[in-house]
Amino acid sequence: MTHHEPSHEGVERAERIERRWATLSTAIVALLVVMAAFAGIHQATMPQAHVETADPRTLHIAGEFVESNLGSAVEPDGSILVRAIGQQYSFTPACILVPAGTPITIRATSADVVHGFLIDGTNVNTMLVPGYVSVISARFENPGDHHMPCHEFCGTGHEGMWGRVKVIDKAAFQKLAANHRRLSCVDQ
């Protein structure tokens, strides 16, 4: 068995490489600490501008999210306000009807556990947390159908929690809205 002694130049080179890696690792850790501290301080000093709450025990009995108040409605400024609830394992309404080319505000909450609220093909993606109202702005440029799955695991029936968003022509929506206070496409 042969045993080679490391040369002096080899030892120096290995130490230089180790120092560089240690310096780089320390710099990366320091950068991450600074980023985490900045994010923590920024979030602590800049809380959400507006937090709305809703008692999940009384959602169906009183307040903004009673069943007769769910679905789409035309606001005085011509925009659309949609109210919806997520509960194990469905959305109410199960199909949201909205017009194309119109600003839409979606107000939604959860009646039980945390649910995901995602509309395929859009940037609408939020969580529905019991006790809090989620507010999302959207605009659909073209008529069509979009899937609306729950994307937060909410229990054993999670995989069956799907809704739908149906975008129709603005004139057709206005015609329907003239005869109904709240709209959905559950029966369509």
Side-chain angles (χ1 to χ4, degrees):
M1 180 174 160
T2 60
H3 187 69
H4 297 283
E5 288 294 322
S7 68
H8 184 67
E9 291 176 17
V11 171
E12 286 181 4
R13 184 171 182 214
E15 287 177 356
R16 265 194 327 265
I17 291 171
E18 285 182 17
R19 273 195 297 272
R20 288 180 185 157
W21 277 110
T23 302
L24 179 64
S25 300
T26 303
I28 290 171
V29 169
L31 177 66
L32 292 174
V33 168
V34 168
M35 289 172 56
F38 175 75
I41 291 168
H42 181 71
Q43 289 296 321
T45 58
M46 305 290 280
Q48 292 182 346
H50 187 70
V51 175
E52 292 183 66
T53 59
D55 187 348
R57 296 170 298 176
T58 60
L59 283 180
H60 300 290
I61 301 169
E64 175 182 359
F65 293 98
V66 294
E67 189 169 342
S68 62
N69 211 22
L70 300 177
S72 306
V74 179
E75 293 294 293
D77 66 355
S79 65
I80 304 300
L81 177 62
V82 176
R83 288 189 178 94
I85 294 177
Q87 66 267 319
Q88 291 179 321
Y89 299 101
S90 64
F91 292 101
T92 304
C95 183
I96 295 172
L97 185 67
V98 294
T102 306
I104 296 165
T105 302
I106 301 169
R107 295 177 56 82
T109 190
S110 171
D112 42 37
V113 299
V114 175
H115 296 283
F117 189 90
L118 169 77
I119 300 176
D120 283 347
T122 71
N123 63 354
V124 175
N125 183 357
T126 191
M127 292 193 319
L128 306 181
V129 179
Y132 294 93
V133 178
S134 296
V135 180
I136 310 125
S137 296
R139 185 182 178 102
F140 300 90
E141 293 304 328
N142 300 307
D145 288 332
H146 299 268
H147 294 291
M148 190 176 69
C150 172
H151 62 79
E152 291 288 332
F153 182 75
C154 57
T156 55
H158 165 73
E159 70 279 357
M161 188 171 174
W162 287 80
R164 189 168 57 108
V165 175
K166 184 172 186 169
V167 184
I168 63 173
D169 179 66
K170 189 173 184 175
F173 185 89
Q174 294 294 342
K175 188 176 177 182
L176 290 171
N179 299 323
H180 298 88
R181 190 174 78 78
R182 288 274 163 194
L183 295 172
S184 75
C185 48
V186 171
D187 55 350
Q188 294 180 3

